[in-house]
Amino acid sequence: MSNKFNVGWNLENTYMSLPNIMFSAINVNPVGNPQLVKLNKELATSLGLNSNALESKQGVEQLAGNTIIEGGIPIAQAYAGHQFGHFTMLGDGRALLLGEHISPSGELFDVQLKGSGRTPYSRGGDGRAGLGPMLREYIISEAMHALGIPTTRSLTVITTGEDIMRETVQRGAVMTRIAASHLRVGTFQFAAKWGTHEELQALADYAIERHYPILMNKENRYLLFLQEVITRQAALIAKWQLVGFIHGVMNTDNMTISGETIDYGPCAFMDTYNPNTVFSSIDIQGRYAYENQPNIAGWNLARLAESLLPLIHEDQDEAVKQAQEAMTAYPKIYETHWLTGMGNKLGIFNIEEGDISLIDNLLQLMEQYGADYTNTFRLLTLGKIEEIDLYGKDNFDQWHEKWQKRLEEQDVSKDFIQQLMQKSNPIVIPRNHRVEEALEAAVEKEDYSVFENLLKVISNPYDYSSDYIDYTTLPPDTSGPYKTFCGT
Ligand code: AMP
Ligand code: MG
């Protein structure tokens, strides 16, 4: 009987149709002893891939970057970016694109290895990644997906059998990242700065064809493209704010054109509601604090707009005028998504004028009394008012009464309102102490059970029938402020 190895990869190399400056072909950098530690079977199935073949020695060798998948041509993508406001040449310094996989439904997905070794863009880095940070990206990106937030996803995590040097010695790992694409704001900044007009145009046409194909034949397609990216990013950032997600490193190279969340470095979810929350140890100024995220996204989009100017109109003043006009839509679109979402979290179907103060007042109370963000909305959903951190505090009673009145004005049943709230308020998020505990067991003890349990829980964040009460509790008081690191 033939036992032919076939994962089901169906790779194209469309990125290589772009001008040469946009990428570098690279040789793979084999690792000593690749071992699969996590495979996302659900994702594999949705991509039309065979999990058994992926788990086999040959399948693992491929996603460790030791051998090349048939049809794949490894390249590193060039890009630039504003890192904490400073413009720099970057590029895939520790990642490679194997190609674009065509899914059974005909969609195109980038297949990228992260931690796969040095490339021409590595600068001083070793091109490698640690097991902890790769498992962290796996768990947070899966949580985001389950929360209904557009995101890149993680297909596999493979340990390399090699140590890497960071502040301490860490176990090396390679993650396979699946993305609608890895086109970033920084990709356009790179082409605008170092490419010719034609090269920039080729990139923009590629992005449009891939993500916004209906614009392809439109005369003013570059302006429309900018508008579409603005629209998707405004929707995305509103979703982050609504669940209390803090990205931590919103540099322009970490913002996609597709509207997916990318690059899970120092990100984390907020427990106590505090708009100034920053987790990243390197974000000293709080540039990427929770409350700054919408503005920073706007700033990043303005960098995209600038990069596109030569394509928007040949007359620079006219181009600037049109791009600025497009940018004015951003805060409005963001606000609409955020208000609608906040309304839904409170069981309100259609936002009205007075609802803004209802929302603001609740957030003010939460800030004043340090209430837990996720649990406050979860308990409001469940009607367990006495359990809320705000119960018995000044003004909460009045707020609650006002809210109840507002809900009664709606011509719908209580059940209906509760359903809306259940869909809008996760019962669990990947709380920082839970993530740490899962990573510690996996990395230090090779015990993946804690990781697997957490993964199961965060995969159903809106399932109010589940018994996840253990995962809704806060870290012990002794744990101090949570800090995250870039993991580079
Ligand atoms: P990130 O913080 O992951 O967004 O990475 C920012 C830039 O640094 C990107 O160009 C990465 O490819 C590069 N980089 C991060 N870590 C490494 C590493 N260990 N080796 C080489 N390049 C890296
Ligand atoms: Mg990055």
Side-chain angles (χ1 to χ4, degrees):
M1 195 181 81
S2 104
N3 203 357
K4 208 163 168 289
F5 169 75
N6 186 4
V7 174
W9 289 116
N10 187 7
L11 290 184
E12 293 204 346
N13 303 280
T14 65
Y15 209 78
M16 294 185 74
S17 68
L18 285 174
N20 283 331
I21 61 156
M22 297 308 304
F23 60 90
S24 297
I26 52 176
N27 294 318
V28 291
N29 303 286
V31 295
N33 181 21
Q35 299 289 334
L36 181 75
V37 294
K38 184 62 198 166
L39 166 64
N40 191 335
K41 290 189 180 172
E42 177 234 317
L43 177 59
T45 304
S46 75
L47 291 169
L49 304 177
N50 178 327
S51 285
N52 291 333
L54 277 169
E55 281 170 333
S56 72
K57 190 164 186 308
Q58 256 175 299
V60 172
E61 292 277 340
Q62 289 182 334
L63 294 186
N66 281 9
T67 55
I68 292 173
I69 297 174
E70 204 179 88
I73 304 175
I75 58 167
Q77 293 176 315
Y79 53 86
H82 274 93
Q83 296 192 304
F84 290 90
H86 302 285
F87 186 74
T88 324
M89 170 61 203
L90 296 163
D92 288 335
R94 56 159 169 175
L96 60 83
L97 181 69
L98 292 173
E100 302 91 24
H101 172 73
I102 308 169
S103 77
S105 59
E107 279 175 284
L108 210 57
F109 290 98
D110 275 12
V111 182
Q112 194 204 57
L113 304 187
K114 186 169 175 180
S116 50
R118 288 182 54 79
T119 77
Y121 312 114
S122 295
R123 297 170 288 165
D126 60 1
R128 293 295 179 191
L131 176 60
M134 294 305 97
L135 289 175
R136 194 159 198 286
E137 170 150 352
Y138 189 106
I139 205 140
I140 310 272
S141 62
E142 283 310 295
M144 293 291 269
H145 173 73
L147 285 164
I149 301 176
T151 176
T152 64
R153 298 191 63 189
S154 315
L155 180 66
T156 53
V157 178
I158 291 170
T159 50
T160 59
E162 294 171 4
D163 286 341
I164 62 167
M165 286 307 296
R166 294 297 182 262
E167 270 154 32
T168 54
V169 178
Q170 288 190 23
R171 290 162 66 197
V174 177
M175 193 192 78
T176 302
R177 180 155 73 181
I178 305 293
S181 87
H182 284 84
L183 292 166
R184 308 145 191 268
V185 169
T187 317
F188 282 85
Q189 289 181 291
F190 170 83
K193 173 103 179 151
W194 288 292
T196 62
H197 186 92
E198 288 69 33
E199 285 166 339
L200 177 64
Q201 187 166 13
L203 174 66
D205 283 337
Y206 176 84
I208 292 171
E209 202 169 350
R210 198 151 167 195
H211 296 296
Y212 307 94
I214 54 165
L215 304 181
M216 208 47 209
N217 296 318
K218 299 267 194 319
E219 213 185 310
N220 57 345
R221 62 180 180 274
Y222 305 112
L223 181 66
L224 295 172
F225 166 63
L226 174 63
Q227 288 171 343
E228 290 294 337
V229 180
I230 288 171
T231 305
R232 282 198 200 176
Q233 281 293 340
L236 178 69
I237 307 299
K239 286 185 184 227
W240 289 3
Q241 299 303 95
L242 291 167
V243 297
F245 173 76
I246 302 170
H247 184 282
V249 61
M250 289 176 70
N251 297 331
T252 54
D253 55 300
N254 292 336
M255 184 185 234
T256 60
I257 294 304
S258 65
E260 286 183 344
T261 312
I262 196 170
D263 226 318
Y264 294 89
C267 61
F269 284 76
M270 175 168 68
D271 289 324
T272 305
Y273 179 74
N274 179 353
N276 298 319
T277 306
V278 175
F279 292 116
S280 171
S281 56
I282 58 167
D283 192 0
I284 312 288
Q285 315 275 327
R287 180 181 168 92
Y288 300 139
Y290 174 73
E291 69 178 344
N292 291 348
Q293 296 191 125
N295 281 339
I296 286 290
W299 190 88
N300 290 349
L301 290 164
R303 306 289 79 78
L304 175 66
E306 270 166 17
S307 307
L308 293 171
L309 286 178
L311 304 179
I312 290 176
H313 203 282
E314 59 198 24
D315 177 73
Q316 209 197 334
D317 291 342
E318 181 57 29
V320 169
K321 192 174 137 241
Q322 292 187 14
Q324 276 174 346
E325 234 168 71
M327 282 301 303
T328 59
Y330 170 74
K332 295 180 204 153
I333 304 171
Y334 167 77
E335 195 71 8
T336 305
H337 281 286
W338 186 81
L339 274 178
T340 308
M342 268 293 168
N344 291 347
K345 283 173 87 69
L346 290 173
I348 297 168
F349 287 83
N350 289 306
I351 285 285
E352 290 167 10
E353 194 67 30
D355 296 335
I356 299 176
S357 70
L358 189 72
I359 293 166
D360 282 348
N361 289 347
L362 176 64
L363 293 177
Q364 274 160 18
L365 284 169
M366 285 166 70
E367 186 180 355
Q368 187 180 347
Y369 295 108
D372 182 79
Y373 183 75
T374 307
N375 280 342
T376 299
F377 285 103
R378 176 178 67 87
L379 293 165
L380 287 174
T381 306
L382 289 165
K384 294 186 174 173
I385 307 303
E386 332 68 67
E387 289 181 34
I388 297 178
D389 295 339
L390 300 174
Y391 187 71
K393 305 283 190 219
D394 277 355
N395 299 329
F396 179 66
D397 235 16
Q398 286 107 299
W399 179 86
H400 187 256
E401 218 170 281
K402 209 170 130 197
W403 175 51
Q404 288 297 307
K405 272 213 188 90
R406 172 65 181 92
L407 293 185
E408 280 159 23
E409 281 168 22
Q410 298 188 118
D411 200 10
V412 291
S413 71
K414 278 199 163 147
D415 269 4
F416 215 56
I417 289 171
Q418 204 185 23
Q419 274 171 32
L420 177 65
M421 289 181 72
Q422 289 188 359
K423 276 197 307 205
S424 314
N425 296 312
I427 49 170
V428 283
I429 49 163
R431 289 195 187 265
N432 304 318
H433 64 297
R434 289 293 190 177
V435 173
E436 290 305 321
E437 150 191 294
L439 298 186
E440 198 182 305
V443 174
E444 308 294 335
K445 303 187 197 115
E446 294 191 49
D447 169 8
Y448 283 83
S449 63
V450 190
F451 176 84
E452 291 295 342
N453 285 340
L454 180 60
L455 201 56
K456 202 170 110 207
V457 170
I458 53 106
S459 298
N460 293 297
Y462 301 107
D463 182 1
Y464 273 74
S465 66
S466 65
D467 184 22
Y468 294 158
I469 197 75
D470 278 358
Y471 288 84
T472 64
T473 52
L474 302 183
D477 251 358
T478 49
S479 60
Y482 186 66
K483 281 277 159 237
T484 56
F485 303 89
C486 260
T488 48

